[in-house]
């Protein structure tokens, strides 16, 4: 399986705190993306980092990528209750067409 | 219009039924995807269409039959399913070509229950 692993599986924090989730993957990639899914709904794209990039920011999101360790992390700063959702990393193959999702982190932000 | 629509939202079917799931987008995306997602699990890639041609089949059983009649539509035909096929079926699309973004746009999914 080309599925990545994420940790932690579940994370519960207070509003205003930062949340960090990690993704490890197995194969070489073109890019890595993070998606968010509210319960039982479709996924929403958050941020993309290419294999030649090490860090990227978008609003309250910061993502890092270490291709030598085949790992990535997503940091959400100043969390809000509305950030409660499942977060998935997705690795994209060099052909660009296949997306493989990690096991996911369930984030709960307590108001 | 940045929306991917899926119908129906919910579907209950028996193991002998034949049904179809439908996905539509009008963003001009030329790659379309079907994923299967079980509860508390990540989406699993099933099929990829590029320029209306099937480019990837992730060893999906033949009781699932995809179809891409045109660049805006993607169907998934279901026949003789098993209870373990009950899941959320997600459709996604992506632009192809020079300068394209690599991100996928997802529909809300069809919740399928096989009795």
């Amino acid at each position: 399986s080309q599925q990545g692993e994420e940790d932690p599986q579940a994370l519960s924090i207070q509003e205003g705190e930062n949340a960090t989730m990690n993704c490890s993957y197995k194969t070489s990639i073109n890019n890595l993306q993070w998606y968010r899914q509210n319960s039982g709904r479709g996924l929403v794209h958050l941020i993309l980092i290419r294999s030649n990039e090490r860090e990227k920011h978008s609003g309250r999101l910061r993502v890092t990528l270490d291709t030598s360790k085949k790992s990535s992390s997503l940091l959400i700063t100043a969390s809000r209750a509305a950030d409660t959702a499942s977060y998935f990393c997705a690795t994209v193959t060099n052909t660009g067409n296949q997306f493989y999702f990690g096991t996911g982190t369930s984030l709960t932000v307590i108001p | 219009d940045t929306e991917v629509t899926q119908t129906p939202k919910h579907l209950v079917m028996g193991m002998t039924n034949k049904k179809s799931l439908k996905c539509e987008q009008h963003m001009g995306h030329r790659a379309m995807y079907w994923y299967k997602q079980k509860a508390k699990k990540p989406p699993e890639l099933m099929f990829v269409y590029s320029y209306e041609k099937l480019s990837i089949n992730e060893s999906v059983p033949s009781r699932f039959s995809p179809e891409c009649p045109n660049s805006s539509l993607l169907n998934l035909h279901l026949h003789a399913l098993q209870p373990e096929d009950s899941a959320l079926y997600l459709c996604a699309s992506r632009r192809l070509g020079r300068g394209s973004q690599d991100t996928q746009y997802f529909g809300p999914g069809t919740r399928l229950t096989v009795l």
Side-chain angles (χ1 to χ4, degrees):
Chain A
S1 167
Q2 299 195 48
Q3 186 181 85
E5 298 281 331
E6 286 183 57
D7 76 89
Q9 285 188 13
L11 180 60
S12 184
I13 58 174
Q14 296 288 331
E15 204 165 30
E17 293 180 338
N18 295 342
T20 299
M21 47 205 88
N22 304 294
C23 168
S24 60
Y25 58 93
K26 299 174 186 175
T27 62
S28 60
I29 61 171
N30 177 282
N31 65 77
L32 185 144
Q33 304 179 26
W34 286 88
Y35 286 79
R36 164 199 168 121
Q37 184 178 35
N38 287 84
S39 181
R41 305 296 303 278
L43 283 77
V44 175
H45 177 260
L46 295 176
I47 193 166
L48 178 156
I49 186 165
R50 300 202 179 277
S51 59
N52 61 353
E53 297 175 314
R54 293 295 166 258
E55 187 171 316
K56 207 157 181 187
H57 297 254
S58 177
R60 294 185 295 115
L61 304 179
R62 172 179 169 253
V63 64
T64 62
L65 179 65
D66 186 335
T67 52
S68 66
K69 295 181 179 177
K70 290 188 166 58
S71 68
S72 174
S73 68
L74 174 70
L75 168 68
I76 304 173
T77 60
S79 63
R80 305 166 182 167
D83 294 329
T84 295
S86 292
Y87 291 81
F88 295 95
C89 65
T91 52
V92 183
T93 61
N94 284 320
T95 61
N97 239 357
Q98 285 157 284
F99 286 59
Y100 294 103
F101 286 86
T103 48
T105 293
S106 176
L107 173 66
T108 301
V109 181
I110 303 165
Chain B
D1 183 2
T2 58
E3 192 179 22
V4 176
T5 59
Q6 288 188 245
T7 54
K9 289 185 179 177
H10 301 275
L11 178 62
V12 179
M13 60 186 291
M15 290 190 283
T16 58
N17 292 159
K18 282 186 182 181
K19 296 285 185 184
S20 297
L21 309 185
K22 180 179 171 181
C23 172
E24 194 164 3
Q25 55 87 16
H26 296 285
M27 295 179 277
H29 291 176
R30 302 301 294 278
M32 295 186 79
Y33 301 74
W34 280 116
Y35 290 89
K36 172 184 177 179
Q37 186 179 27
K38 302 282 270 185
K40 299 190 185 302
K41 297 290 186 183
E44 293 177 30
L45 184 62
M46 298 175 72
F47 302 104
V48 183
Y49 273 83
S50 299
Y51 299 105
E52 295 85 69
K53 294 203 183 319
L54 183 65
S55 59
I56 295 168
N57 175 341
E58 292 280 335
S59 303
V60 179
S62 59
R63 58 185 184 270
F64 296 91
S65 175
E67 179 196 19
C68 191
N70 61 57
S71 59
S72 300
L73 275 176
L74 184 67
N75 297 320
L76 186 62
H77 303 297
L78 314 172
H79 175 54
L81 294 194
Q82 303 296 311
E84 58 264 29
D85 296 321
S86 298
L88 181 68
Y89 287 83
L90 294 163
C91 172
S93 70
R94 185 172 73 92
R95 190 188 304 171
L96 292 178
R98 203 178 185 88
S100 64
Q101 294 291 315
D102 282 318
T103 60
Q104 291 188 315
Y105 290 78
F106 279 83
T110 293
R111 175 74 60 189
L112 174 68
T113 302
V114 182
L115 301 176

